[in-house]
Amino acid sequence: MYETLIPLIIALPLAGFVFTTFLGRRLQMSFGRNVAAAVPLGVVIASWIVAMVVVSAVLQHQGPFPEHGPGLDVKLWTWIPAGIDPTTGHALTVDFGFHVDTLTAVLLIVVTTIGMLVHLYSVGYMAHDPGTWRFFAYLNLFMVSMLLLVLADNWLLVFAGWELVGLSSYALIGFWYQKRSAALAAKKAFIVNRVGDVGFALGIMAIWVNTGTLNIQESLATLIEAPAAELTVPLSIIALLVFAGAMGKSAQFPLHVWLPDAMEGPTPVSALIHAATMVNAGVYLVARANPLFAHAQDAMVVVAAIGIFTAILAASIAFTQTDIKRVLAYSTLSQLGYMFAALGVGAFVAAIFHLMTHGFFKGLLFLGSGSVIHAVHEEQDMNRMGGLWRKIPITHWTMLVGTIAIAGIPPLAGFFSKDEILGEAFKFGFTWVWAIGLLVAAMTAFYMWRLMGKTFYGESRVDPHVEPKVHESAWTMTLSLVLLAIPSALLGLALTWGGPPLSPDGTGLLKGWLEPVFRGAEEALHHEAHAYELFGIDGILILASVAVATLGLVAGIALFGFFRARGLRATADRIAGATRVTRFLYRASLNKWWFDELNDLLFIRIGGRVAAFLWWFDRTIVDGTVNGVGALTRDAGGGLRRIQTGRVQNYALGIAIGLIVMAGSFLVIVSR
């Protein structure tokens, strides 16, 4: 049964993509945009239903999913039967197959649920766009790509899904290709991701060289069991190459520059990329390769350092941005940094926990921002909003839930997952990760309330011609917001029920689900189960986490809360311009610490000139030398060719003249 259901999870959106690609335009022209969207939406709903059946069986250990089993492998066909490599003696055989375990099940919950709600939201959001059919075809392809990546049982199939995700994001970010900014943003995302993908591809090659197999489970088992001296490529190098791919896809420093520009696509695209698909791929990849990283602890320190640095860097930029979607984009970068920091300290369950909760509340916040943008006629500058909470109440209240959740205020979902990361970092000895993470928590609460204050509270700054027309979004959009607000509020409680901080046994629902996947890595790292004692060290860590989040929230409310917007702006401006240092920091944050300018200088200007010089050197010196030798040979041959007349008497005359010259020379020499 499950061998049939699992392929259907991908086959259904794939069928929707093919159908909409070839018939969507005709349907839209004949019956309207909603009809063109019906099939893509329907197949994603069907895929979600099938996925939930499989997920339920996996998490309840029914059918072929035993409680401590390795998961179910479903082989569809042999993809690459390349035979034996004579240099290594390994037979390269790659199957087109799927592997389903509890980690896969958790990702399926996030990808299919949020993907389905984004499709539903898009029916209303794209109702007036002439390219609706094309947009939904791309959305279906995006779902196919991410599901293939999550379900794949071998590295090469993962890489195929990895690249399809990149292609889908390119198509969706540049959906409004008539806008130059959208076309450039799509190209930027595609190129920056290719940088990380080179590392991932090299990592896959290194895995093959070391193990002779591309099956994920088999290769990981071989890598961690083989003596270090027998490995052609060291484990730390393999881990860092795999992480390079994750850095690109999940936009970690220094490959973070593409993600904010991805806001040029329609808002549902932003939600899909930031909440359910593309950026989570890197976190999933490192989590799936957890045995490799657990046995390459030097690489894990790099993962933790880059993750926590990205978290505070992105939070510092979100402080001053005025585009509502860019604030959320940098917030995504920061929260992804939290996840990688958790992976780097060995808190694998905490990283996946935050991936789940973040997926729902960030999807809610992005779709809510789209509802706001729709209400104010495509305006994205928060300085031209304000006073909207009464006019679009459903959007306001649902975004308020998302804001409190991401701020880490109990009992909403973000509190549980973020506190788990900070607590594990502290207890595993990464106090520097804990300290920076605590600061980021306060910053997150502050800039998120700044977003709420500028958007919904204070006096209205909306264009006077637009303000009378402001109204709540279509029901398909508001329904998606409400459905996402529910897990944003309750998911943390649900997944920790029976575990921290609700009981002293240190287990919990999510911990129990993922224990078989991460058990070996935790044993290799010598991590012991830590019981949450409400009034012990865990209670102190919880209080610290809640205190800094509350402090950030209170500061945000004081500056951007329910008061008159003009006075608030003046107060904030006075703080930003108080000293030379604060003026510099404000300008640096507003300009994103000049990373785009730095990349332009290094890779476009200097790199372009180096490339131009190398091109000149190749064309003038290298090609000139080769062509010069060829021309000299050709010209010499052309001169000699003239004396080759083909007449015997001419040759006899030449021989005679030569003999005379030789004889004369001989006589002259002898006479001396």
Side-chain angles (χ1 to χ4, degrees), residues 70-203:
L72 176 65
D73 290 302
V74 179
K75 176 184 173 182
L76 299 184
W77 64 80
T78 299
W79 181 20
I80 303 176
I84 298 177
D85 182 350
T87 59
T88 62
H90 297 151
L92 176 59
T93 301
V94 182
D95 295 329
F96 195 101
F98 306 131
H99 176 80
V100 179
D101 58 12
T102 50
L103 178 58
T104 311
V106 168
L107 265 292
L108 285 177
I109 293 172
V110 177
V111 174
T112 58
T113 303
I114 298 177
M116 176 183 64
L117 294 177
V118 167
H119 276 71
L120 176 63
Y121 179 94
S122 299
V123 173
Y125 192 89
M126 302 297 291
H128 305 292
D129 196 289
T132 297
W133 68 274
R134 182 166 55 90
F135 181 78
F136 275 92
Y138 292 159
L139 284 185
N140 273 188
L141 180 61
F142 215 144
M143 291 295 291
V144 171
S145 308
M146 189 64 190
L147 290 169
L148 178 64
L149 191 159
V150 169
L151 288 166
D153 72 345
N154 65 80
W155 295 110
L156 199 57
L157 198 56
V158 168
F159 192 73
W162 196 265
E163 294 305 301
L164 278 174
V165 167
L167 175 64
S168 306
S169 66
Y170 174 79
L172 283 168
I173 295 169
F175 178 76
W176 288 320
Y177 56 85
Q178 302 91 339
K179 291 172 54 180
R180 176 171 171 79
S181 58
L184 291 176
K187 184 168 66 173
K188 183 177 183 180
F190 193 81
I191 293 172
V192 173
N193 270 274
R194 299 292 75 71
V195 175
D197 292 354
V198 170
F200 186 24
L202 292 173

Side-chain angles (χ1 to χ4, degrees), residues 316-317 320-322 450 585-593:
S316 71
I317 297 173
T320 57
Q321 301 305 303
T322 57
R450 172 179 176 269
L585 292 175
Y586 181 85
R587 192 167 65 253
S589 172
L590 187 63
N591 289 283
K592 300 165 284 187
W593 295 96

Side-chain angles (χ1 to χ4, degrees), residues 111-345:
V111 174
T112 58
T113 303
I114 298 177
M116 176 183 64
L117 294 177
V118 167
H119 276 71
L120 176 63
Y121 179 94
S122 299
V123 173
Y125 192 89
M126 302 297 291
H128 305 292
D129 196 289
T132 297
W133 68 274
R134 182 166 55 90
F135 181 78
F136 275 92
Y138 292 159
L139 284 185
N140 273 188
L141 180 61
F142 215 144
M143 291 295 291
V144 171
S145 308
M146 189 64 190
L147 290 169
L148 178 64
L149 191 159
V150 169
L151 288 166
D153 72 345
N154 65 80
W155 295 110
L156 199 57
L157 198 56
V158 168
F159 192 73
W162 196 265
E163 294 305 301
L164 278 174
V165 167
L167 175 64
S168 306
S169 66
Y170 174 79
L172 283 168
I173 295 169
F175 178 76
W176 288 320
Y177 56 85
Q178 302 91 339
K179 291 172 54 180
R180 176 171 171 79
S181 58
L184 291 176
K187 184 168 66 173
K188 183 177 183 180
F190 193 81
I191 293 172
V192 173
N193 270 274
R194 299 292 75 71
V195 175
D197 292 354
V198 170
F200 186 24
L202 292 173
I204 292 174
M205 296 175 195
I207 290 172
W208 158 254
V209 168
N210 277 332
T211 66
T213 179
L214 290 177
N215 181 277
I216 295 174
Q217 306 303 319
E218 295 175 4
S219 63
L220 291 175
T222 303
L223 282 172
I224 64 176
E225 291 171 3
E230 295 181 5
L231 295 176
T232 306
V233 182
L235 284 181
S236 295
I237 300 299
I238 299 174
L240 290 175
L241 289 172
V242 171
F243 178 57
M247 287 171 60
K249 204 65 74 185
S250 293
Q252 295 297 285
F253 172 85
L255 302 180
H256 66 285
V257 292
W258 70 267
L259 192 59
D261 287 3
M263 299 302 98
E264 291 293 336
T267 299
V269 175
S270 305
L272 198 59
I273 290 176
H274 286 248
T277 58
M278 188 167 177
V279 296
N280 287 339
V283 179
Y284 166 75
L285 180 67
V286 176
R288 174 59 73 192
N290 67 88
L292 168 64
F293 283 87
H295 288 80
Q297 297 185 28
D298 291 343
M300 289 186 68
V301 175
V302 175
V303 174
I306 289 179
I308 204 64
F309 178 75
T310 303
I312 194 168
L313 172 71
S316 71
I317 297 173
F319 258 40
T320 57
Q321 301 305 303
T322 57
D323 185 315
I324 185 172
K325 288 173 65 177
R326 285 187 179 268
V327 174
L328 295 176
Y330 282 106
S331 170
T332 298
L333 286 174
S334 185
Q335 299 304 307
L336 287 167
Y338 264 124
M339 297 176 210
F340 279 104
L343 293 169
V345 304

Side-chain angles (χ1 to χ4, degrees), residues 375-623:
V376 293
H377 289 212
E378 308 310 314
E379 179 60 65
Q380 295 184 199
D381 188 346
M382 295 186 298
N383 290 327
R384 304 188 65 180
M385 297 180 186
L388 295 175
W389 73 279
R390 287 191 178 91
K391 297 181 179 180
I392 46 175
I394 298 176
T395 301
H396 164 256
W397 289 112
T398 52
M399 284 194 72
L400 184 61
V401 170
T403 297
I404 297 175
I406 195 174
I409 303 297
L412 275 72
F415 157 72
F416 292 95
S417 57
K418 190 180 295 184
D419 176 73
E420 187 82 0
I421 292 173
L422 295 175
E424 296 291 89
F426 184 89
K427 288 181 289 185
F428 293 157
F430 291 83
T431 51
W432 53 279
V433 173
W434 171 79
I436 298 173
L438 211 60
L439 176 59
V440 174
M443 296 167 72
T444 302
F446 176 82
Y447 70 67
M448 284 306 303
W449 196 268
R450 172 179 176 269
L451 180 149
M452 289 295 295
K454 280 181 167 288
T455 303
F456 292 105
Y457 308 130
E459 62 187 25
S460 174
R461 301 176 301 278
V462 179
D463 186 332
H465 296 95
V466 172
E467 189 166 12
K469 304 174 185 177
V470 174
H471 60 84
E472 190 60 89
S473 299
W475 72 269
T476 55
M477 298 169 67
T478 54
L479 177 61
S480 298
L481 295 178
V482 172
L483 292 176
L484 283 169
I486 295 171
S488 297
L490 303 178
L491 187 62
L493 279 170
L495 293 180
T496 55
W497 189 259
L502 301 180
S503 80
D505 61 5
T507 56
L509 193 59
L510 185 64
K511 178 75 173 178
W513 287 348
L514 296 177
E515 191 269 339
V517 179
F518 298 128
R519 183 195 309 119
E522 291 175 351
E523 290 174 355
L525 294 168
H526 307 294
H527 286 174
E528 299 177 359
H530 294 271
Y532 269 60
E533 303 167 4
L534 191 56
F535 299 104
I537 184 63
D538 297 283
I540 295 173
L541 294 176
I542 291 171
L543 291 175
S545 175
V546 174
V548 296
T550 304
L551 181 64
L553 207 61
V554 169
I557 292 172
L559 289 175
F560 305 102
F562 307 98
F563 309 104
R564 294 188 62 189
R566 186 176 303 166
L568 294 173
R569 288 202 305 275
T571 303
D573 290 343
R574 282 198 299 272
I575 294 173
T579 67
R580 182 177 299 177
V581 173
T582 58
R583 286 195 297 272
F584 169 77
L585 292 175
Y586 181 85
R587 192 167 65 253
S589 172
L590 187 63
N591 289 283
K592 300 165 284 187
W593 295 96
W594 298 286
F595 275 106
D596 284 328
E597 290 78 5
L598 179 62
N599 286 332
D600 180 73
L601 174 65
L602 292 178
F603 301 111
I604 304 301
R605 300 182 184 277
I606 297 177
R609 292 188 178 184
V610 170
F613 169 76
L614 293 175
W615 167 244
W616 172 86
F617 183 83
D618 180 70
R619 183 185 58 188
T620 306
I621 306 301
V622 177
D623 287 353

